[in-house]
Amino acid sequence: MDLGIAGKRALVCASSKGLGRGCAEALAEAGVDLILNARRVEALEDTAATIRTAHGVDVVTVAADITTENGRKAVLGACVGVDILVTNAGGPPPGNWSDWTRDDFIAALDANMLTPIALMQALMPGMIHRGWGRVVNITSQSVKAPIATLGLSNAARTGLTGFVAGTARQVAPNGVIINNLLPGIHDTDRATSLDGGVSRAQGISMDQARANRIATIPARRYGTASDFGAMCAFLCSQHAGFIVGQNILLDGGAGNATI
Ligand code: NAP
């Protein structure tokens, strides 16, 4: 399917690895020029070089922490004529409800709620001016079904979801379409780190932790970054203009809900 977005320009945050990289690769395959971001230069440059070679698109890199004001300033400084925004950052650490401090909550809200909001506020006026834009926020399955040990994530991402619900309807008349993508478990460094936590807490091997989790997923596997990227690219495509303010779950059926 021709996604109809060749020649558009996208900022994909936190995209040297994992789900962000999956989104960047799928957009590049559709002919989209990219601004890629991550904190560590080496993986970021490797990813950029691989994408340039594979897809022949223009790729600009900005090594910066997207969750800080200075980091966002650096990234936004490279953002001329951005039509597509994919927001992403690392997720908050697991823990227990009784231990999290105000500072823990502020850090999670900064990273996973206020950063995507600031990026939308910075880039959507240009999209509105040009009459076309797409925003995909990478959130989490925890928005639909809470994961108790990820309470910081549950809280921050649900806050972002509330902001998007109203704002998506305000900007859609201008051709700017915002949706959220909710990953269930996907085979990335984040999944390895979550499985490591389970392995330590339950005194089981990493393989057993993974096997136990797979048994809870009807698709009987972890998702891949390319599964995720394909859906992201579709939501950024010309075909997605009637999908507004939705929360799309990619979890292999793990969430046991009718709607
Ligand atoms: P990942 O494999 O750990 O990749 C994270 C990517 O983001 C790397 O490129 C990393 O590069 C970059 N990054 C992290 N923090 C950053 C920051 N502050 N500023 C700029 N770049 C940053 O993670 P993932 O699995 O793709 O997860 C992406 C998001 O989806 C996370 O918020 C995660 O919590 C959420 N999620 C993931 C899953 C899953 O199963 N994978 C499930 C639900 C939700 P640097 O380290 O070099 O910055």
Side-chain angles (χ1 to χ4, degrees), residues 58-93:
D58 184 40
V59 183
V60 171
T61 55
V62 186
D65 184 339
I66 197 67
T67 68
T68 66
E69 206 171 326
N70 282 342
R72 282 191 296 278
K73 208 179 272 180
V75 170
L76 290 170
C79 287
V80 180
V82 164
D83 311 292
I84 295 169
L85 165 64
V86 179
T87 74
N88 187 27

Side-chain angles (χ1 to χ4, degrees), residues 108-189:
L109 294 173
D110 260 342
N112 300 111
M113 175 184 171
L114 299 176
T115 290
I117 290 174
L119 292 167
M120 283 185 266
Q121 288 174 327
L123 294 176
M124 289 199 311
M127 298 178 193
I128 289 169
H129 180 71
R130 291 186 294 279
W132 195 96
R134 297 286 185 266
V135 178
V136 172
N137 298 296
I138 300 180
T139 65
S140 173
Q141 63 184 350
S142 68
V143 170
K144 288 219 186 227
I147 302 168
T149 53
L150 291 177
L152 293 171
S153 171
N154 300 340
R157 297 186 198 277
T158 307
L160 172 62
T161 304
F163 173 83
V164 165
T167 308
R169 277 121 182 136
Q170 284 181 302
V171 299
N174 305 99
V176 178
I177 302 297
I178 317 177
N179 288 289
N180 301 322
L181 261 187
L182 284 55
I185 196 77
H186 282 69
D187 217 347
T188 68
D189 291 355

